[in-house]
Amino acid sequence: MKSKKKGKNLWRDHYTDKAQKAGFPARSVFKLEEMQKRWKILRPGQKVLDLGCAPGSWLKYASQIVGDSGRVIGLDLKPMDQPDKPNAQFIQGDAFELTQEFLDEIGRDFDVVLSDMAPNTTGIKNVDALKSAALCESALAAAVTVLKPGGSFVCKIFQGEGFDAFIKDVKKYFTKHKIFKPESTRKQSREIYVVGWSKKGGSHVRT
Ligand SMILES: C[S@@+](CC[C@H](N)C(=O)[O-])C[C@H]1O[C@@H](n2cnc3c(N)ncnc32)[C@H](O)[C@@H]1O
């Protein structure tokens, strides 16, 4: 029992240390990197919205890929320092309270919307899954509003209640989707990523 626990900690430290050495504040960067290596979701010159961006690993990674001709806007409930790259910006806010004015202000010309948002967990699987699904539905509503037709969506969700309904909704707005569990995700974690490609034409705000 003891050695199993030690093994788990060593495994977690490997990704945390690796992220720190590479200059990223969180190990979550490797999950996005895995998806990027597989599908080249991010490209130079793109405009990207990163929901739940703190402490800023995905924001930094995405800003490196989109480069000087691109732009990344990150949003999180928690405060965070402004990124040191001129093409990246942090806005503190709640994804459940994105107003039409705010979405109009940031623009409706995004190429990619990322959401790595996670709720505060209770430890009760169904409750946590429903809280995660609610965050995902709000990320999807933002994505269908601000993405250009043809845009892509990456969203973390906890498997469980609300998952099937969320996939059904993703299918309504995206031509193709995949469900992906990165290698760098903790094995015991119920989190999984949904990637939607090629947003269908038009923009719909779910009410
Ligand atoms: C796993 S962390 C994201 C890590 C980030 N992708 C990175 O690479 O640094 C999840 C984030 O979701 C944020 N979050 C949770 N609920 C949110 C909400 N309603 N609106 C905005 N952010 C939220 C949390 O504050 C937390 O910082």
Side-chain angles (χ1 to χ4, degrees), residues 173-207:
Y173 298 112
F174 293 87
T175 309
K176 198 178 125 190
H177 79 281
K178 288 236 184 258
I179 296 162
F180 180 67
K181 178 137 182 146
E183 283 289 314
S184 49
T185 300
R186 294 187 184 105
K187 298 293 176 257
Q188 71 274 24
S189 167
R190 294 173 69 82
E191 74 178 30
I192 200 153
Y193 289 82
V194 179
V195 185
W197 284 273
S198 200
K199 192 201 119 184
K200 295 175 187 174
S203 115
H204 318 259
V205 179
R206 295 159 56 79
T207 52

Side-chain angles (χ1 to χ4, degrees), residues 119-134 157-163 181 187-191:
N120 286 327
T121 49
T122 61
I124 304 165
K125 278 180 193 165
N126 277 350
V127 172
D128 293 341
L130 281 170
K131 285 170 84 175
S132 164
I157 185 163
F158 295 174
Q159 287 164 290
E161 290 279 321
F163 177 78
K181 178 137 182 146
K187 298 293 176 257
Q188 71 274 24
S189 167
R190 294 173 69 82
E191 74 178 30

Side-chain angles (χ1 to χ4, degrees), residues 20-146:
Q20 268 171 8
K21 277 184 195 139
F24 290 96
R27 62 195 294 292
S28 48
V29 67
F30 299 114
K31 302 173 196 171
L32 181 58
E33 185 187 57
E34 280 184 52
M35 292 186 268
Q36 177 64 12
K37 281 187 176 157
R38 243 167 217 259
W39 295 303
K40 302 273 179 293
I41 298 159
L42 300 164
R43 293 168 195 268
Q46 283 181 331
K47 189 168 165 187
V48 179
L49 178 63
D50 178 11
L51 299 170
C53 66
S57 283
W58 282 27
L59 193 62
K60 183 171 181 177
Y61 181 80
S63 73
Q64 288 173 352
I65 292 178
V66 302
D68 293 342
S69 57
R71 188 174 170 212
V72 188
I73 297 176
L75 179 114
D76 204 288
L77 280 175
K78 292 180 192 157
M80 191 186 100
D81 287 343
Q82 279 302 336
D84 53 13
K85 287 204 90 188
N87 67 347
Q89 181 191 358
F90 168 65
I91 298 168
Q92 190 173 0
D94 186 342
F96 283 128
E97 288 173 10
L98 298 180
T99 61
Q100 206 57 49
E101 291 72 27
F102 172 80
L103 296 172
D104 286 343
E105 199 183 305
I106 62 170
R108 289 164 181 260
D109 55 349
F110 282 81
D111 300 286
V112 181
V113 172
L114 307 171
S115 172
D116 195 27
M117 288 193 288
N120 286 327
T121 49
T122 61
I124 304 165
K125 278 180 193 165
N126 277 350
V127 172
D128 293 341
L130 281 170
K131 285 170 84 175
S132 164
L135 280 173
C136 293
E137 294 290 356
S138 106
L140 178 62
V144 299
T145 305
V146 303

